[in-house]
């Protein structure tokens, strides 16, 4: 639980900041105290158990020196990519490799551009975790792609959480801004080394300007003591494309709130998710896609593979505003339960205020197809391989969207691990 | 090769097979005919290892060993193949990858080197031609979006690629037009050898214009009620199944 004295101490550490910034923090914290952590009575938190988060006092990583084994970075490296390494939200220039793109892409720590801090789409948001983020934000990245610039090599961001202590909280704000007519692929990996209990709470501000294309792959691979919450705000302008894949590979609690405002015409929005869950993992994906202008397409596809006592939640809302005629929107959620104890809650929703639109949504949860397993086995294929083939096949609609082979291979090997591990 | 004695099987306590006796020797082709619901498909699925049915009595020996002890994949590796009446549709699993995995599982089991992608492509392209399929089938997901006839061709493609010892064709002829029927029959005839055997399940005499079984059995209500030569099919074509039902009742 966050208390006032903890906040006062934090504020003292931040004494170098402007009064305006400190006032924002104070306001946010006071608002948080009024609201408190959400409980299961709140509609958007019905399925999410936050008691363990509220119970423990999470400290700050302030001042703690973090040494990262270079091996960890190389173990996660992706061929043919630019590497950006952040440790506890702080940009590590030694481990990063970005020299050759520095002219067209601005990459810096968020503290250096603090005029952006807290001035985001989340401005008037009353989500308690966003308020906490505003009050305690420290660290995060700012990436800006110049107009008229197309980068072929993916930017690979390694967001590492490390530390010697248990129960540490991290509040980051990340910014991705694409100028007009630009294009970039970002592969972001959130990892957590040292296996200490942690709580990572990040607000993303993403702007995709006219005629630009952003592909953002977010790999969330935590461990059983880590909690990760992401609030991703996206704004799209005319003729822009936003593709994102949220890949959840284990974690005590992963919650993604994705909010896409399609503020331009002729936009494409492709959101997909793959969750590979086991143990007591819990993953929530809450999406809001708002069509505010005419002639745009949005696609959502979320797939969950749930083993053991894991739990998944998909809550997707598509709104089509009165101006957004000729909207074409599809939303699909499909889930496979590998265990009787696994649980899935799915809630796709549509709100349509325009009359000339094409919208569909659907959801299905089931077990692995026994007939298909028997078919494969009857051809001499071993039971375990048959199951993994089916799971790979199930995931393929999402993994096929990822055009980077090493990331795809990694995912397929994770799927295989579900069955043999 | 296959020796079934007094086989009883049920599903959800409803008895479907009520004492089947059937012996198939190497080099032979047997046909089972009979109406819907007589238990023909159940028998085929049990031989292939389906776990949907409960065996309540009887034995099945394959090459003098207890077949019922083996998993479906072990049966396949030892040479049993079922061409399904309703082949499973498996979205996201590539047809080439699937057939290659099946073939290599078998080669590995037999102590042969696994085929690499190139060698496999050479082999599969040759087999495709034999069943009148074009290469586009290799890029598709297993049976996904296949028409009824395409699914059946895909079954025969797998059969001639995996080269089973005992091939069971469960109504592979159903729903096929005459051209497709000829292609399937051709696939079967080309694969008939003195050291392998067939069990062909069909409703119709039509298929028997193109393949010549050695023995014909008629199955009614979970039992084989009549066994004869090729001429039995003609009698059935002419008289239907009713006289056999009457005969069976009289015997009771």
């Amino acid at each position: 639980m966050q208390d006032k004295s903890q906040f006062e101490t934090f504020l003292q550490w931040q004494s170098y900041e402007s009064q305006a910034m400190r006032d924002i923090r104070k306001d946010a914290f006071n608002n948080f105290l009024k609201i408190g952590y959400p409980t299961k009575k709140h509609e958007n938190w019905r399925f999410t158990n936050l008691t363990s988060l509220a119970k423990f006092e999470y400290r700050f990583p302030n001042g703690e020196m973090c040494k990262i084994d270079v091996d960890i970075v190389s173990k996660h490296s992706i061929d043919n990519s630019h590497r950006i390494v952040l440790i506890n939200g702080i940009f590590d220039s030694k481990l990063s490799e970005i020299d050759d793109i520095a002219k067209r892409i601005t990459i810096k720590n968020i503290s250096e551009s603090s005029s952006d801090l807290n001035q985001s789409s989340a401005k008037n948001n009353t989500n308690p975790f966003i308020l906490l983020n505003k009050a305690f934000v420290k660290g995060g990245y700012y990436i800006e792609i110049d107009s008229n610039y197309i980068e072929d090599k993916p930017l690979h961001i390694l967001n590492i959480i490390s530390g010697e202590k248990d129960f540490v909280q991290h509040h980051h704000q990340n910014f991705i801004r694409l100028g007009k007519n630009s294009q970039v692929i970002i592969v972001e990996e959130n990892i957590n080394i040292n296996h200490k209990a942690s709580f990572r709470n990040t607000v993303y501000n993403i702007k995709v300007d006219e005629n630009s294309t952003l592909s953002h792959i977010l790999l969330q691979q935590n461990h059983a003591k880590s909690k990760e919450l992401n609030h991703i705000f996206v704004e799209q302008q005319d003729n822009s494309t936003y593709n994102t894949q949220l890949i959840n590979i284990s974690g005590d609690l992963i919650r993604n709130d994705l909010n896409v405002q399609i503020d331009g015409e002729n936009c494409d929005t492709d959101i997909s998710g793959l969750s590979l869950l086991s143990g007591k993992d819990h993953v929530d994906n809450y999406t809001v896609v708002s069509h505010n202008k005419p002639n745009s397409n949005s696609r959502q596809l979320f797939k969950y593979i749930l083993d053991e006592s894991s739990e998944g939640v998909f809550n997707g809302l598509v709104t089509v505003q009165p101006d957004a005629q000729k909207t074409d929107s599809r939303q699909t959620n499909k889930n496979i339960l590998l265990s009787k104890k696994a649980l899935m809650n799915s809630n796709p929703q549509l709100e349509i205020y325009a009359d000339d639109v094409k919208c569909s949504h659907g959801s299905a949860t089931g077990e692995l197809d026994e007939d298909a397993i028997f078919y494969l086995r009857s051809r001499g294929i071993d039971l375990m391989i048959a199951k993994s083939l089916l799971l790979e096949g199930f995931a393929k609609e999402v993994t096929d969207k990822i055009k980077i082979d090493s990331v795809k291979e990694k995912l397929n090997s994770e799927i295989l691990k579900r069955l043999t591990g | 090769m296959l020796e079934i004695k007094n086989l009883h099987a049920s599903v959800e306590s409803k008895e479907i097979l009520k004492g089947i006796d059937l012996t198939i020797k190497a080099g032979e082709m047997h046909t089972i005919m009979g109406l819907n619901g007589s238990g023909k498909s159940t028998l085929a699925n049990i031989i292939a290892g389906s776990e949907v049915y409960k065996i309540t009595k009887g034995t099945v020996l394959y090459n003098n060993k207890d077949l019922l002890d083996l998993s479906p994949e072990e049966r396949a590796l030892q040479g049993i193949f079922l061409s399904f009446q309703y082949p499973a549709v498996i979205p996201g699993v590539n047809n080439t990858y699937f057939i290659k995995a099946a073939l290599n599982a078998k080669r590995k089991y037999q102590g042969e080197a696994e085929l690499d992608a190139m060698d496999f492509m050479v082999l599969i392209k040759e087999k495709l031609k034999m069943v009148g399929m074009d290469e586009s089938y290799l890029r598709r997901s297993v049976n996904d979006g296949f028409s009824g006839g395409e699914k059946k061709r895909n079954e025969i493609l797998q059969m001639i690629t995996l080269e089973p010892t005992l091939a069971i064709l469960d109504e592979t002829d159903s729903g096929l037009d005459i051209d497709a029927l000829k292609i399937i029959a051709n696939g079967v005839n080309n694969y008939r050898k003195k050291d392998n055997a067939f069990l062909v399940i069909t409703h119709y005499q039509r298929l028997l214009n193109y393949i010549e079984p050695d023995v014909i059995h008629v199955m009614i209500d979970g039992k084989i009620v009549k066994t004869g030569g090729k001429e039995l099919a003609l009698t059935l074509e002419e008289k239907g199944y009713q006289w056999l039902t009457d005969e069976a009742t009289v015997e009771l």
Side-chain angles (χ1 to χ4, degrees), chain A residues 48-61:
Chain A
T48 317
N49 189 349
L50 296 168
T51 19
S52 65
L53 190 59
K55 202 165 69 187
F56 295 103
E57 190 176 305
Y58 283 79
R59 56 184 130 236
F60 296 97

PDB file of all heavy atoms in Angstrom, chain A residues 48-61:
ATOM      1  N   THR A  48      -9.836  -9.403 -11.658  1.00  0.00           N
ATOM      2  CA  THR A  48      -8.425  -9.225 -11.347  1.00  0.00           C
ATOM      3  C   THR A  48      -8.232  -9.068  -9.847  1.00  0.00           C
ATOM      4  O   THR A  48      -8.785  -8.155  -9.241  1.00  0.00           O
ATOM      5  CB  THR A  48      -7.896  -7.965 -12.070  1.00  0.00           C
ATOM      6  OG1 THR A  48      -8.409  -7.966 -13.395  1.00  0.00           O
ATOM      7  CG2 THR A  48      -6.392  -7.949 -12.089  1.00  0.00           C
ATOM      8  N   ASN A  49      -7.462  -9.973  -9.298  1.00  0.00           N
ATOM      9  CA  ASN A  49      -7.235  -9.939  -7.861  1.00  0.00           C
ATOM     10  C   ASN A  49      -6.000  -9.089  -7.547  1.00  0.00           C
ATOM     11  O   ASN A  49      -4.889  -9.437  -7.897  1.00  0.00           O
ATOM     12  CB  ASN A  49      -7.043 -11.372  -7.351  1.00  0.00           C
ATOM     13  CG  ASN A  49      -7.017 -11.426  -5.847  1.00  0.00           C
ATOM     14  OD1 ASN A  49      -6.936 -10.385  -5.182  1.00  0.00           O
ATOM     15  ND2 ASN A  49      -7.081 -12.626  -5.291  1.00  0.00           N
ATOM     16  N   LEU A  50      -6.212  -7.964  -6.894  1.00  0.00           N
ATOM     17  CA  LEU A  50      -5.104  -7.043  -6.618  1.00  0.00           C
ATOM     18  C   LEU A  50      -4.710  -7.036  -5.146  1.00  0.00           C
ATOM     19  O   LEU A  50      -3.903  -6.219  -4.721  1.00  0.00           O
ATOM     20  CB  LEU A  50      -5.504  -5.624  -7.042  1.00  0.00           C
ATOM     21  CG  LEU A  50      -5.752  -5.438  -8.539  1.00  0.00           C
ATOM     22  CD1 LEU A  50      -6.408  -4.104  -8.794  1.00  0.00           C
ATOM     23  CD2 LEU A  50      -4.457  -5.536  -9.321  1.00  0.00           C
ATOM     24  N   THR A  51      -5.294  -7.936  -4.367  1.00  0.00           N
ATOM     25  CA  THR A  51      -5.020  -7.905  -2.923  1.00  0.00           C
ATOM     26  C   THR A  51      -3.533  -7.985  -2.614  1.00  0.00           C
ATOM     27  O   THR A  51      -3.031  -7.227  -1.788  1.00  0.00           O
ATOM     28  CB  THR A  51      -5.738  -9.051  -2.166  1.00  0.00           C
ATOM     29  OG1 THR A  51      -6.094 -10.036  -3.120  1.00  0.00           O
ATOM     30  CG2 THR A  51      -6.950  -8.558  -1.446  1.00  0.00           C
ATOM     31  N   SER A  52      -2.822  -8.864  -3.307  1.00  0.00           N
ATOM     32  CA  SER A  52      -1.410  -9.027  -2.972  1.00  0.00           C
ATOM     33  C   SER A  52      -0.630  -7.756  -3.304  1.00  0.00           C
ATOM     34  O   SER A  52       0.351  -7.419  -2.653  1.00  0.00           O
ATOM     35  CB  SER A  52      -0.810 -10.220  -3.713  1.00  0.00           C
ATOM     36  OG  SER A  52      -0.817  -9.970  -5.091  1.00  0.00           O
ATOM     37  N   LEU A  53      -1.097  -7.019  -4.299  1.00  0.00           N
ATOM     38  CA  LEU A  53      -0.427  -5.783  -4.675  1.00  0.00           C
ATOM     39  C   LEU A  53      -0.673  -4.711  -3.616  1.00  0.00           C
ATOM     40  O   LEU A  53       0.221  -3.953  -3.236  1.00  0.00           O
ATOM     41  CB  LEU A  53      -0.977  -5.314  -6.029  1.00  0.00           C
ATOM     42  CG  LEU A  53      -0.233  -4.177  -6.705  1.00  0.00           C
ATOM     43  CD1 LEU A  53       1.201  -4.562  -6.956  1.00  0.00           C
ATOM     44  CD2 LEU A  53      -0.915  -3.833  -8.021  1.00  0.00           C
ATOM     45  N   ALA A  54      -1.880  -4.658  -3.115  1.00  0.00           N
ATOM     46  CA  ALA A  54      -2.235  -3.641  -2.127  1.00  0.00           C
ATOM     47  C   ALA A  54      -1.636  -3.951  -0.754  1.00  0.00           C
ATOM     48  O   ALA A  54      -1.381  -3.060   0.040  1.00  0.00           O
ATOM     49  CB  ALA A  54      -3.751  -3.526  -2.037  1.00  0.00           C
ATOM     50  N   LYS A  55      -1.399  -5.233  -0.514  1.00  0.00           N
ATOM     51  CA  LYS A  55      -0.967  -5.671   0.820  1.00  0.00           C
ATOM     52  C   LYS A  55       0.470  -5.264   1.131  1.00  0.00           C
ATOM     53  O   LYS A  55       0.772  -4.818   2.236  1.00  0.00           O
ATOM     54  CB  LYS A  55      -1.116  -7.193   0.893  1.00  0.00           C
ATOM     55  CG  LYS A  55      -1.226  -7.724   2.308  1.00  0.00           C
ATOM     56  CD  LYS A  55      -1.729  -9.164   2.324  1.00  0.00           C
ATOM     57  CE  LYS A  55      -0.695 -10.124   1.761  1.00  0.00           C
ATOM     58  NZ  LYS A  55      -1.221 -11.502   1.613  1.00  0.00           N
ATOM     59  N   PHE A  56       1.366  -5.424   0.165  1.00  0.00           N
ATOM     60  CA  PHE A  56       2.784  -5.208   0.443  1.00  0.00           C
ATOM     61  C   PHE A  56       3.199  -3.775   0.144  1.00  0.00           C
ATOM     62  O   PHE A  56       2.654  -3.134  -0.742  1.00  0.00           O
ATOM     63  CB  PHE A  56       3.641  -6.158  -0.391  1.00  0.00           C
ATOM     64  CG  PHE A  56       3.432  -7.587  -0.036  1.00  0.00           C
ATOM     65  CD1 PHE A  56       2.652  -8.414  -0.842  1.00  0.00           C
ATOM     66  CD2 PHE A  56       3.995  -8.115   1.117  1.00  0.00           C
ATOM     67  CE1 PHE A  56       2.439  -9.732  -0.504  1.00  0.00           C
ATOM     68  CE2 PHE A  56       3.778  -9.447   1.458  1.00  0.00           C
ATOM     69  CZ  PHE A  56       3.007 -10.249   0.643  1.00  0.00           C
ATOM     70  N   GLU A  57       4.176  -3.328   0.897  1.00  0.00           N
ATOM     71  CA  GLU A  57       4.717  -2.012   0.604  1.00  0.00           C
ATOM     72  C   GLU A  57       5.863  -2.167  -0.384  1.00  0.00           C
ATOM     73  O   GLU A  57       6.880  -2.776  -0.079  1.00  0.00           O
ATOM     74  CB  GLU A  57       5.201  -1.349   1.894  1.00  0.00           C
ATOM     75  CG  GLU A  57       5.552   0.104   1.674  1.00  0.00           C
ATOM     76  CD  GLU A  57       5.948   0.785   2.965  1.00  0.00           C
ATOM     77  OE1 GLU A  57       5.152   0.746   3.930  1.00  0.00           O
ATOM     78  OE2 GLU A  57       7.062   1.344   2.992  1.00  0.00           O
ATOM     79  N   TYR A  58       5.666  -1.633  -1.559  1.00  0.00           N
ATOM     80  CA  TYR A  58       6.712  -1.712  -2.579  1.00  0.00           C
ATOM     81  C   TYR A  58       7.598  -0.482  -2.471  1.00  0.00           C
ATOM     82  O   TYR A  58       7.112   0.639  -2.410  1.00  0.00           O
ATOM     83  CB  TYR A  58       6.077  -1.769  -3.974  1.00  0.00           C
ATOM     84  CG  TYR A  58       5.523  -3.127  -4.322  1.00  0.00           C
ATOM     85  CD1 TYR A  58       4.296  -3.548  -3.836  1.00  0.00           C
ATOM     86  CD2 TYR A  58       6.237  -3.992  -5.145  1.00  0.00           C
ATOM     87  CE1 TYR A  58       3.789  -4.795  -4.153  1.00  0.00           C
ATOM     88  CE2 TYR A  58       5.730  -5.237  -5.479  1.00  0.00           C
ATOM     89  CZ  TYR A  58       4.502  -5.644  -4.971  1.00  0.00           C
ATOM     90  OH  TYR A  58       4.003  -6.884  -5.295  1.00  0.00           O
ATOM     91  N   ARG A  59       8.928  -0.706  -2.412  1.00  0.00           N
ATOM     92  CA  ARG A  59       9.848   0.433  -2.322  1.00  0.00           C
ATOM     93  C   ARG A  59      10.265   0.888  -3.720  1.00  0.00           C
ATOM     94  O   ARG A  59       9.822   0.327  -4.723  1.00  0.00           O
ATOM     95  CB  ARG A  59      11.044   0.062  -1.458  1.00  0.00           C
ATOM     96  CG  ARG A  59      11.762  -1.176  -1.945  1.00  0.00           C
ATOM     97  CD  ARG A  59      12.884  -1.582  -1.005  1.00  0.00           C
ATOM     98  NE  ARG A  59      12.761  -2.996  -0.679  1.00  0.00           N
ATOM     99  CZ  ARG A  59      12.671  -3.462   0.561  1.00  0.00           C
ATOM    100  NH1 ARG A  59      12.670  -2.656   1.581  1.00  0.00           N
ATOM    101  NH2 ARG A  59      12.569  -4.751   0.763  1.00  0.00           N
ATOM    102  N   PHE A  60      11.135   1.898  -3.770  1.00  0.00           N
ATOM    103  CA  PHE A  60      11.576   2.421  -5.055  1.00  0.00           C
ATOM    104  C   PHE A  60      13.005   1.996  -5.349  1.00  0.00           C
ATOM    105  O   PHE A  60      13.789   1.788  -4.422  1.00  0.00           O
ATOM    106  CB  PHE A  60      11.467   3.957  -5.046  1.00  0.00           C
ATOM    107  CG  PHE A  60      10.052   4.410  -4.915  1.00  0.00           C
ATOM    108  CD1 PHE A  60       9.540   4.754  -3.670  1.00  0.00           C
ATOM    109  CD2 PHE A  60       9.220   4.450  -6.017  1.00  0.00           C
ATOM    110  CE1 PHE A  60       8.211   5.135  -3.543  1.00  0.00           C
ATOM    111  CE2 PHE A  60       7.897   4.829  -5.883  1.00  0.00           C
ATOM    112  CZ  PHE A  60       7.387   5.172  -4.643  1.00  0.00           C
ATOM    113  N   PRO A  61      13.353   1.899  -6.598  1.00  0.00           N
ATOM    114  CA  PRO A  61      14.702   1.443  -6.937  1.00  0.00           C
ATOM    115  C   PRO A  61      15.731   2.546  -6.773  1.00  0.00           C
ATOM    116  O   PRO A  61      16.887   2.383  -7.133  1.00  0.00           O
ATOM    117  CB  PRO A  61      14.562   1.038  -8.412  1.00  0.00           C
ATOM    118  CG  PRO A  61      13.462   1.868  -8.941  1.00  0.00           C
ATOM    119  CD  PRO A  61      12.533   2.127  -7.802  1.00  0.00           C
TER     120      PRO A  61
END
